Amino acid sequence: MSIKMLPTRDGYGNGLVELGATNPDVIVLDADLAKSTRSDWFANKYPDRFFDIGIAEQDMVGTAAGLALGGKIPFATTYAVFVAGRAWDQIRTTVCYSDLNVKIAGAHGGISAGGDGATHQSLEDIALMRVLPNMHVIVPCDAIEAKKATIAVAGIHGPCYLRFAREATPVFTAEEDFFAIGKANVLQNGSDVAVIACGPVVYEALLAHDQLKEMGISARIINMHTVKPLDEEVVLAAAQETGAIVTIEEAQVYGGLGGAVAELLVKNKPVPVEMMGVMDTFLECGTPEELAVKYGFTAKDIVAAVKRVLARK
Amino acid sequence: MNSPSLEKLTEICRDVRADIVKMTAAAGSGHPGGSLSAVELMTVLYFKVMNHRPNQVDWPERDRFFLSKGHACPVVYSVMARAGYFPVEELITLRKCGTRLQGHPSCKALPGIEVSSGSLGQGLSIANGVALAAKLNKKDFRAYVLMGDGELQEGQIWEAMMTSAHYKLDNVCAIVDYNGLQIDGDVEAVMGIAPLAQKWRAFNWHTIEIDGHDLAQVLAAFEEAKATKGKPSVIIAKTIKGKGISFMENVAGWHGKAPNSEELQKALDELYGREN
């Protein structure tokens, strides 16, 4: 059976276009990557509400802060590695400390910028954004969810970070599926172990679920699209009811989703946890598929992690 | 607000200088030097130039002021208090635990502060954003931003200078407090920024050079900026760090050091005369 493939950045572009039609306060900024990030889909339809700031990410975030102060809902858009890294102080001190209504979109997150190599592979953005007070961090799993997340962040007050991927990945959620910021989606129920994932790798977790089922292992699959605020209720229920957790994210293993889950569990319900991600290293160039195999982001790797965590139960 | 005469403004400036040394002395820390250099600039802005309502801080039509050099908050707190934003008596709480007058300004702590600042180089970008919002909403309010000269070493400022001019933000007015000193010494010795006016002109800004302690020149500069259409304006105000307190003038060491009680008394004696 073939599955439809789209990059989550397309969902961002579609979400922006819909917002353009429904919310006149939505303004989109980009830093010379509008075609790549899909913000040009908005720019083509609403040129008066699109501003290219040039290759100046710090200025873009500051400009977005000013637009928010003027009552607008700005979406500051560029590659994840540049906005979350280079403009971190602007996001921290101007946007988050002042609790401004700025939306930040980081494209080409995770290993999806494969061929560009380590400079362009954003693996630290989730941790960098998660540590900031007032910030929301959302990592959509497919293009449909990405569109919903884009529209949803315009409807809440405060700083939000959205992370998108470059490569086409499976579209496995449906338009009618429930989506709410801060509410995890349990995609498969299971009682032996819970796999908590964010981003396109959620699909690998679903494939792992089927392989585990054949082995007689019942895995709960949780799509934790909102890394912050974490849906603590769903995580604690998973720990209570399965007794073993695997986390996976296309990011450095420290400080991201796995860290958030571990911090919660160690205080409330200590159970064995296997954290999957990039193991404290920079990657290299390669296709996203090659990198996924080499660095452990496939269903097979998740199955292996589940076996490890079950052995520790 | 009534529009005070230049004589009245001179009196206010003296009281603001006294506030600055009293506040920082009481706090035991803070930044008197770069606050004292901006007294005339801030007093004229808050008492003569800006369209604002101290008793209605969220008035949508208000002009916006951004303190990009956040460490100079003592001068802004003092001018705000004297303009009626909060009681003058509260100034003495600067930097105390629980105060609204944070060591660098917080918009969450003190109503009337537009945005939190303290990490240098960010104010002009913010002013550009709010100015863009004004244009989009067909509003007439203006955005003012005070920057330090040392602060101009931050690269983001030059990014923002391009943006203001590129989008023809004539509702942006930048003010450079050109006192020539920064923590490590002379700006030109630490990392030169001269020739400053030429640089702003080359970035397509309307550039106005004045003596930043001459109230009439300061007022005229703001009026000229307001009348300039099609491009942003910058007021490059030549100032003296520590201005008005003889032993603080032109001494980089007073950038981030509070006067002790003897020094405070000496400063107040200078401002008001011995009999005070």
Side-chain angles (χ1 to χ4, degrees):
Chain A
M1 192 185 79
S2 76
I3 188 161
K4 191 175 172 187
M5 304 281 281
L6 283 174
T8 55
R9 58 183 164 144
D10 283 15
Y12 177 60
N14 284 326
L16 289 181
V17 168
E18 187 163 320
L19 283 170
T22 56
N23 192 333
D25 285 330
V26 168
I27 307 290
V28 178
L29 307 174
D30 208 304
D32 196 42
L33 289 169
K35 287 186 179 65
S36 269
T37 63
R38 303 297 193 242
S39 73
D40 70 328
W41 293 5
F42 179 94
N44 293 336
K45 280 204 133 174
Y46 308 101
D48 297 343
R49 286 189 272 151
F50 174 83
F51 298 94
D52 206 318
I53 301 297
I55 308 166
E57 296 79 13
Q58 301 173 12
D59 184 42
M60 175 176 70
V61 169
T63 306
L67 282 159
L69 286 166
K72 299 298 184 186
I73 305 171
F75 282 74
T77 315
T78 184
Y79 287 177
V81 72
F82 301 138
V83 72
R86 193 169 193 135
W88 188 84
D89 180 44
Q90 286 72 16
I91 296 171
R92 173 192 180 267
T93 304
T94 292
V95 173
C96 288
Y97 183 34
S98 301
D99 194 21
L100 299 180
N101 198 23
V102 171
K103 315 304 170 186
I104 295 158
H108 293 44
I111 60 172
S112 69
D116 284 337
T119 55
H120 285 53
Q121 292 159 354
S122 186
L123 302 172
E124 299 79 20
D125 54 330
I126 297 175
L128 284 169
M129 294 296 105
R130 188 173 83 82
V131 77
L132 293 170
N134 296 326
M135 181 61 93
H136 304 75
V137 180
I138 302 167
V139 186
C141 67
D142 70 3
I144 288 177
E145 188 169 271
K147 180 182 174 186
K148 290 177 189 171
T150 303
I151 292 165
V153 295
I156 63 165
H157 174 82
C160 296
Y161 177 73
L162 293 160
R163 191 223 228 183
F164 303 110
R166 177 185 185 279
E167 284 298 299
T169 54
V171 179
F172 57 96
T173 69
E175 294 284 354
E176 61 272 18
D177 288 350
F178 175 78
F179 176 86
I181 294 166
K183 294 283 174 206
N185 289 7
V186 179
L187 303 181
Q188 292 283 359
N189 270 310
S191 53
D192 296 327
V193 63
V195 179
I196 304 175
C198 64
V201 76
V202 171
Y203 186 70
E204 294 298 319
L206 284 171
L207 296 180
H209 168 271
D210 296 347
Q211 294 174 20
L212 288 163
K213 195 175 173 186
E214 285 173 17
M215 300 171 195
I217 298 168
S218 166
R220 182 176 304 190
I221 307 299
I222 298 168
N223 171 19
M224 191 63 74
H225 48 70
T226 306
V227 176
K228 186 181 182 183
L230 189 72
D231 189 338
E232 299 187 349
E233 203 177 318
V234 163
V235 175
L236 290 173
Q240 177 72 36
E241 291 159 22
T242 72
I245 304 282
V246 171
T247 65
I248 180 163
E249 61 202 301
E250 271 182 51
Q252 296 290 357
V253 76
Y254 297 135
L257 173 63
V261 168
E263 287 159 18
L264 176 70
L265 292 181
V266 79
K267 277 186 295 191
N268 298 282
K269 181 70 191 167
V271 299
V273 178
E274 284 288 319
M275 289 162 60
M276 300 177 69
V278 175
M279 295 300 174
D280 197 21
T281 185
F282 291 103
L283 301 186
E284 58 185 307
C285 57
T287 67
E289 294 76 16
E290 288 167 334
L291 294 175
V293 170
K294 188 164 179 179
Y295 293 97
F297 291 98
T298 67
K300 191 178 133 203
D301 300 302
I302 296 170
V303 168
V306 164
K307 287 182 175 170
R308 285 199 303 275
V309 83
L310 288 177
R312 293 169 53 202
K313 255 175 116 168
Chain B
M1 198 184 299
N2 293 328
S3 188
S5 63
L6 290 188
E7 290 72 30
K8 178 68 183 161
L9 286 179
T10 304
E11 283 176 34
I12 297 171
C13 287
R14 187 173 62 176
D15 292 341
V16 169
R17 288 203 156 85
D19 289 343
I20 291 167
V21 288
K22 284 185 203 164
M23 293 163 81
T24 51
S29 65
H31 298 83
S35 295
L36 291 164
S37 59
V39 168
E40 283 77 15
L41 296 167
M42 288 298 96
T43 301
V44 169
L45 190 62
Y46 271 79
F47 283 87
K48 290 290 260 191
V49 175
M50 281 209 299
N51 193 21
H52 64 133
R53 294 176 178 172
N55 58 0
Q56 190 189 351
V57 295
D58 59 351
W59 181 41
E61 310 301 321
R62 71 191 184 282
D63 288 336
R64 268 66 165 180
F65 171 70
F66 300 102
L67 182 65
S68 194
K69 46 177 268 181
H71 57 272
C73 54
V75 65
V76 176
Y77 291 151
S78 168
V79 170
M80 285 175 71
R82 293 191 175 276
Y85 280 87
F86 59 88
V88 172
E89 296 72 46
E90 195 174 336
L91 290 173
I92 214 74
T93 68
L94 173 74
R95 289 180 168 242
K96 302 269 166 64
C97 192
T99 185
R100 300 197 293 174
L101 311 188
Q102 293 290 296
H104 291 80
S106 162
C107 63
K108 288 293 165 188
L110 185 65
I113 295 291
E114 298 287 353
V115 75
S116 304
S117 63
S119 176
L120 294 174
Q122 303 192 27
L124 184 56
S125 300
I126 303 165
N128 286 340
V130 85
L132 266 178
K135 297 252 181 205
L136 288 163
N137 290 341
K138 309 214 179 328
K139 298 278 189 186
D140 291 331
F141 67 78
R142 294 173 59 73
Y144 294 92
V145 56
L146 179 69
M147 296 180 284
D149 49 0
E151 186 188 4
L152 299 182
Q153 292 156 354
E154 289 280 7
Q156 186 186 346
I157 299 232
W158 302 83
E159 298 176 2
M161 281 162 68
M162 285 188 267
T163 300
S164 322
H166 182 81
Y167 288 111
K168 299 183 170 52
L169 298 175
D170 53 13
N171 48 353
V172 167
C173 178
I175 309 144
V176 178
D177 181 5
Y178 199 0
N179 62 37
L181 291 175
Q182 60 188 111
I183 296 177
D184 278 352
D186 288 3
V187 171
E188 287 309 308
V190 175
M191 180 52 64
I193 58 172
L196 191 54
Q198 286 94 315
K199 285 178 177 165
W200 283 87
R201 280 194 200 99
F203 276 65
N204 295 324
W205 281 65
H206 180 66
T207 304
I208 306 163
E209 295 176 88
I210 59 162
D211 172 350
H213 298 306
D214 181 317
L215 289 167
Q217 285 190 39
V218 173
L219 183 56
F222 280 122
E223 293 303 324
E224 182 179 330
K226 209 180 272 191
T228 301
K229 298 298 172 199
K231 54 161 69 174
S233 291
V234 60
I235 298 169
I236 299 176
K238 193 75 200 72
T239 58
I240 293 168
K241 196 152 187 161
K243 170 74 177 176
I245 313 294
S246 63
F247 57 92
M248 291 187 179
E249 286 192 1
N250 281 323
V251 179
W254 286 102
H255 171 89
K257 188 176 81 168
N260 62 29
S261 57
E262 266 174 52
E263 290 159 341
L264 171 63
Q265 194 52 54
K266 190 158 179 272
L268 294 175
D269 287 348
E270 284 186 18
L271 289 169
Y272 293 108
R274 277 276 169 200
E275 71 281 6
N276 185 261

